[in-house]
Amino acid sequence: MTTEEAKSKIQKLSEKIEYHNRLYYQENTTEISDFEFDKLLEQLQKLEEQYPELKDPNSPTQRVGGAITKDFETVKHEYPMLSLGNTYSKEELSDFDERIKKLLGDEPYEYFCELKFDGVALSILYEDGELQKGVTRGDGKKGDNVTNNVKTIRSLPLKLNSDLDKSKVKFEVRGEVFMPKEVFANLNKEKQKQGEALLANPRNTASGTLKMQDSAVVASRKLDCYCYSLLGDDLNFASHEEGILFLEELGFNVSKTYKKCNELSQVYDFINLWEKKRNELPLETDGVVVKVNKLAHQKKLGNTAKSPRWAIAYKYKAESASTRLLDVQYQVGRTGAVTPVAILEPVLLAGTTVKRASLHNANEIERLDLHINDYVFVEKGGEIIPKITGVDLNLRDNDTHKFQYPQVCPVCSTSLERKEGEAVHYCPNQDGCAPQITGRIEHFIHRNAMNIDSMGEQTVKLLYENDLARTPADLYKLTYDDVFQLEGFKDLSTRNMLEGIENSKSIPFEIVLFALGIRYVGKTVAEKLAFHFKNIDKLMVATFDELIEVPEIGDRIAESVQDYFSIDKNKKLIEELKSYGLQFHINESQINNSGSLEGKSFVISGVFESYGRDELKTIIKSNGGKIVSSISGKLDYLVAGENMGPAKKKKAESLDITILDESQFKELLNG
């Protein structure tokens, strides 16, 4: 094939893939199977690898990410991203309408109503029909260039339909990036399985995801974007509505919830309709944006220093219910943090029955002036669990009594402490408080950590109650007789558990580091620290400045790591674990030019937690392996990440090719 022929074929494949991508994400329909779609993508990837000089920066293959951005460039907005004035009452909305009427005089006007989505504002620049730049709102005048991450949002076109007029004109699209509620829930389920801190809400998660350094991780987070505005000097539209319709023609993801209203009563009807229906949407929405529709009117009305005079946001009050506070219970975590949880009379809220609600900490309880048996207002927004927002003082009766936050641990009665600058109370009795002791061991044995077979929460409790385990190191001292005498254990289960403990000694360093349970050090952070410092000894003496040099390691994580290694009992634990043969170093000879993959061929598919795609290719090549673009009977391994196409997996299975997940690949790499 000549270069020109390859160029033509790449262009046709790209157009075809984007056409089917648009059908799937914008029109919720398909014309081909997943298998056929994956075959098209495979063909394109293969051609781009054969002819790298022909690879387009906006190729559909960019959707899976892989680019690393160390520092996000600051970019000045061509059109300032102003904030909207807010109102919570229809009376104030009526005042807004009166101001519009007064400023426009006798000219007839109309409104365009859109839902106000709870996401992250984004500016996307298109020029010559292609996505050029994606920039966060920032301070409204300038924001961060997050283009590599924006390209992973599959509902955003990378190239526009060239058959439409004005598609080549330079213009800016404004959109709201969000994480769908279902994606957020699944992400937190996975976090919980891995023993990592849960994410607060979809909006904050979307914001943090957009600023991640590895675009492959961003791709795995499945962000979406609703577009709501079009700006450009050469568009010549008469109204905001025309711009929205043009965005739809170009293939942008525009929420079908908008409505043009000829008078204020229709605006009220729209607000009332969506106040009832908003829970049906795939994302959180907190109100309605009301805009004067004609662009000439918008220009005449102008802007204040911060907000346009031609638009306003009507904010819904968060859905709330009133119920009785029956009690407050306390949960003691493995770090000693004491978390109060309100126990409520069951109440229906946002389609679910609520029995518990977050109280966060003592400051929040004091602010609310809580009494036991109070009637409290409960809201359920984007948070993990519902929260109490206030007390109905009109219903407070004589049998209530002011709530007193405990001064001692609810489990071991040790006096609680409060670290300077933090709102949370801690039990300092790390070595004598049962939930802290068992919690650390449970985290250590978890399947996403040391993955010790035949052990679980109940077994850990039995070991603790029989004085057989106080630290993870104690697990490696257990004998057959120790385990066999536990309730429910027989010969086979005893041998399986001891074998699982023995097998855990081969778990690689980065996972052992995660299993230690250092505060704020989740699985991904542990991997970055392990591969940066190579061994536990260097990590233990790392300075604060050395720690924050590691990608995505901030002040809070660095301080936590230093605090952990400053405690003698933690250093003793590591020495004990070392003596039992656990892995506390990365074997450089196996990672760099070890030849452990010599002569083996690999296809990489999907996105990975620990590696960018280019990084993974480099590791394979440096260890003697070969990267190929397509699956055939000669292939040795398919390395499968998240979001791998089902067609690849099916074909590999049909050819009896070994499929490796990320952890299995690491095992192969480490021999």
Side-chain angles (χ1 to χ4, degrees):
M1 186 185 303
T2 67
T3 301
E4 281 303 312
E5 288 172 336
K7 183 177 181 181
S8 174
K9 192 166 185 179
I10 285 173
Q11 183 178 346
K12 288 176 182 177
L13 277 170
S14 296
E15 290 172 355
K16 196 171 186 179
I17 290 167
E18 280 303 290
Y19 167 74
H20 290 295
N21 190 71
R22 187 164 58 250
L23 282 182
Y24 184 84
Y25 285 98
Q26 266 83 53
E27 301 178 28
N28 295 315
T29 186
T30 56
E31 293 180 357
I32 61 175
S33 66
D34 287 348
F35 177 81
E36 291 169 309
F37 184 86
D38 289 340
K39 290 296 291 181
L40 293 174
L41 201 57
E42 277 182 34
Q43 290 178 49
L44 181 58
Q45 287 173 323
K46 186 175 181 180
L47 281 170
E48 287 178 345
E49 288 177 5
Q50 289 177 340
Y51 300 90
E53 72 277 9
L54 299 179
K55 188 171 182 178
D56 192 312
N58 283 326
S59 166
T61 58
Q62 299 302 298
R63 296 289 196 186
V64 297
I68 303 294
T69 306
K70 294 292 185 182
D71 297 298
F72 294 96
E73 171 197 14
T74 299
V75 177
K76 184 178 180 181
H77 292 298
E78 190 167 341
Y79 307 95
M81 296 185 75
L82 302 175
S83 57
L84 291 172
N86 292 329
T87 176
Y88 290 87
S89 74
K90 291 177 181 175
E91 291 77 19
E92 290 180 355
L93 196 55
S94 178
D95 292 342
F96 168 77
D97 183 56
E98 287 298 322
R99 290 195 298 272
I100 298 298
K101 190 180 297 182
K102 183 178 179 180
L103 290 167
L104 292 180
D106 296 331
E107 297 180 48
Y109 59 91
E110 57 196 10
Y111 291 118
F112 195 89
C113 294
E114 302 162 325
L115 292 184
K116 185 177 184 300
F117 297 116
D118 193 17
V120 183
L122 185 72
S123 162
I124 315 118
L125 181 68
Y126 285 83
E127 194 167 359
D128 294 327
E130 296 193 9
L131 190 156
Q132 299 293 330
K133 196 174 290 181
V135 184
T136 62
R137 182 183 181 277
D139 63 4
K141 296 179 180 178
K142 53 186 182 298
D144 292 323
N145 184 342
V146 290
T147 307
N148 288 331
N149 291 342
V150 168
K151 287 182 179 181
T152 69
I153 301 174
R154 289 180 177 263
S155 60
L156 276 176
L158 300 178
K159 293 187 177 183
L160 304 177
N161 186 346
S162 59
D163 296 333
L164 292 171
D165 292 339
K166 303 177 185 172
S167 66
K168 297 290 185 182
V169 173
K170 179 181 177 181
F171 58 80
E172 181 181 330
V173 177
R174 297 274 170 87
E176 196 81 2
V177 175
F178 65 93
M179 177 170 282
K181 289 187 281 192
E182 184 179 357
V183 174
F184 176 75
N186 290 336
L187 184 58
N188 258 341
K189 283 179 186 176
E190 191 57 35
K191 289 267 183 190
Q192 192 169 33
K193 287 178 186 176
Q194 294 182 3
E196 297 181 11
L198 297 184
L199 300 163
N201 55 59
R203 194 264 171 210
N204 290 355
T205 304
S207 178
T209 300
L210 265 184
K211 293 295 296 293
M212 284 182 162
Q213 293 180 343
D214 188 345
S215 62
V217 179
V218 179
S220 72
R221 292 283 184 93
K222 300 178 184 177
L223 295 178
D224 206 338
C225 182
Y226 278 148
C227 297
Y228 59 79
S229 182
L230 181 62
L231 301 166
D233 295 336
D234 301 314
L235 294 171
N236 299 318
F237 292 128
S239 67
H240 177 71
E241 181 189 27
E242 287 182 27
I244 292 296
L245 295 176
F246 184 62
L247 282 175
E248 289 181 330
E249 278 189 273
L250 288 172
F252 286 92
N253 192 21
V254 177
S255 173
K256 305 296 184 183
T257 52
Y258 59 76
K259 182 180 177 64
K260 186 170 72 173
C261 301
N262 295 318
E263 56 187 32
L264 193 59
S265 63
Q266 293 178 351
V267 174
Y268 291 153
D269 290 342
F270 182 87
I271 288 170
N272 294 336
L273 172 69
W274 283 105
E275 187 165 20
K276 296 173 184 174
K277 291 182 63 177
R278 60 192 174 120
N279 288 324
E280 301 171 12
L281 296 167
L283 75 163
E284 302 293 340
T285 180
D286 56 2
V288 170
V289 178
V290 182
K291 300 175 180 177
V292 174
N293 188 33
K294 290 185 179 178
L295 300 184
H297 287 163
Q298 291 184 9
K299 187 174 181 181
K300 184 174 182 179
L301 292 165
N303 307 316
T304 67
K306 294 183 178 179
S307 307
R309 292 191 180 92
W310 45 266
I312 194 168
Y314 177 90
K315 301 290 285 291
Y316 290 126
K317 292 177 182 176
E319 190 169 349
S320 180
S322 175
T323 188
R324 189 185 290 271
L325 172 66
L326 300 177
D327 195 9
V328 176
Q329 294 180 353
Y330 302 91
Q331 299 173 343
V332 183
R334 62 182 171 85
T335 64
V338 178
T339 305
V341 178
I343 308 301
L344 308 170
E345 278 187 354
V347 61
L348 190 65
L349 180 62
T352 59
T353 300
V354 174
K355 300 177 182 178
R356 297 158 69 88
S358 172
L359 285 172
H360 301 294
N361 51 57
N363 286 355
E364 184 68 2
I365 291 171
E366 184 65 28
R367 183 188 71 80
L368 292 166
D369 185 30
L370 278 185
H371 288 51
I372 297 297
N373 288 325
D374 266 342
Y375 277 87
V376 294
F377 297 111
V378 186
E379 288 184 4
K380 188 178 183 183
E383 306 300 319
I384 302 299
I385 61 173
K387 61 182 179 182
I388 293 176
T389 59
V391 176
D392 191 344
L393 296 176
N394 294 323
L395 295 178
R396 179 174 284 173
D397 54 35
N398 294 329
D399 70 343
T400 67
H401 55 276
K402 187 173 175 63
F403 179 80
Q404 298 294 326
Y405 201 89
Q407 301 300 305
V408 298
C409 174
V411 177
C412 69
S413 300
T414 302
S415 294
L416 297 180
E417 295 180 356
R418 206 170 183 176
K419 296 181 180 179
E420 187 176 350
E422 293 194 14
V424 177
H425 284 76
Y426 287 87
C427 171
N429 186 18
Q430 295 183 3
D431 300 322
C433 185
Q436 294 188 62
I437 295 168
T438 58
R440 288 192 295 270
I441 299 174
E442 286 164 16
H443 173 77
F444 185 84
I445 67 167
H446 194 274
R447 67 182 182 86
N448 287 304
M450 302 305 287
N451 192 24
I452 298 179
D453 288 341
S454 304
M455 283 193 77
E457 185 178 326
Q458 189 59 35
T459 303
V460 171
K461 186 177 179 182
L462 285 171
L463 291 170
Y464 174 79
E465 289 173 348
N466 285 272
D467 202 25
L468 291 170
R470 288 291 184 270
T471 75
D474 292 335
L475 301 178
Y476 298 91
K477 303 173 187 175
L478 293 172
T479 66
Y480 180 93
D481 290 339
D482 290 334
V483 179
F484 186 74
Q485 54 95 19
L486 296 176
E487 183 182 348
F489 274 81
K490 296 182 179 179
D491 178 71
L492 181 60
S493 54
T494 298
R495 293 185 185 281
N496 285 342
M497 182 171 141
L498 292 172
E499 184 180 352
I501 293 171
E502 185 64 28
N503 291 341
S504 72
K505 295 177 182 180
S506 63
I507 293 290
F509 169 39
E510 65 271 20
I511 297 179
V512 178
L513 182 59
F514 165 65
L516 292 176
I518 303 172
R519 198 174 181 200
Y520 307 131
V521 177
K523 200 169 185 182
T524 302
V525 169
E527 287 172 345
K528 292 184 182 300
L529 289 170
F531 280 92
H532 183 86
F533 289 101
K534 310 302 183 189
N535 62 63
I536 195 73
D537 298 317
K538 288 181 181 177
L539 178 59
M540 288 173 70
V541 297
T543 65
F544 178 84
D545 290 341
E546 288 171 338
L547 286 165
I548 62 174
E549 283 178 6
V550 182
E552 296 187 32
I553 305 301
D555 293 4
R556 187 177 68 166
I557 295 173
E559 288 170 0
S560 178
V561 170
Q562 285 195 306
D563 287 346
Y564 182 87
F565 290 124
S566 69
I567 298 171
D568 287 339
K569 74 177 185 63
N570 292 336
K571 289 188 274 192
K572 180 184 175 184
L573 170 65
I574 290 164
E575 291 305 316
E576 282 190 88
L577 293 174
K578 275 184 182 180
S579 72
Y580 292 120
L582 274 70
Q583 305 300 307
F584 280 101
H585 67 278
I586 298 289
N587 191 329
E588 292 257 31
S589 64
Q590 291 180 321
I591 297 299
N592 296 307
N593 303 312
S594 69
S596 60
L597 309 180
E598 190 67 45
K600 302 298 182 183
S601 58
F602 295 80
V603 163
I604 299 169
S605 183
V607 294
F608 302 87
E609 274 193 4
S610 305
Y611 311 107
R613 289 172 67 87
D614 291 339
E615 181 186 4
L616 193 54
K617 289 177 183 179
T618 300
I619 290 171
I620 290 171
K621 290 175 183 177
S622 67
N623 285 276
K626 180 184 177 184
I627 301 292
V628 296
S629 59
S630 59
I631 296 173
S632 69
K634 296 179 180 180
L635 182 68
D636 293 302
Y637 298 104
L638 170 62
V639 187
E642 289 186 32
N643 303 329
M644 181 184 74
K648 279 195 177 74
K649 183 179 179 184
K650 185 176 180 181
K651 185 173 182 180
E653 288 173 341
S654 70
L655 295 172
D656 203 25
I657 291 164
T658 302
I659 301 174
L660 304 174
D661 62 22
E662 195 165 345
S663 62
Q664 290 168 330
F665 170 76
K666 289 176 184 175
E667 289 175 13
L668 179 68
L669 188 67
N670 293 328

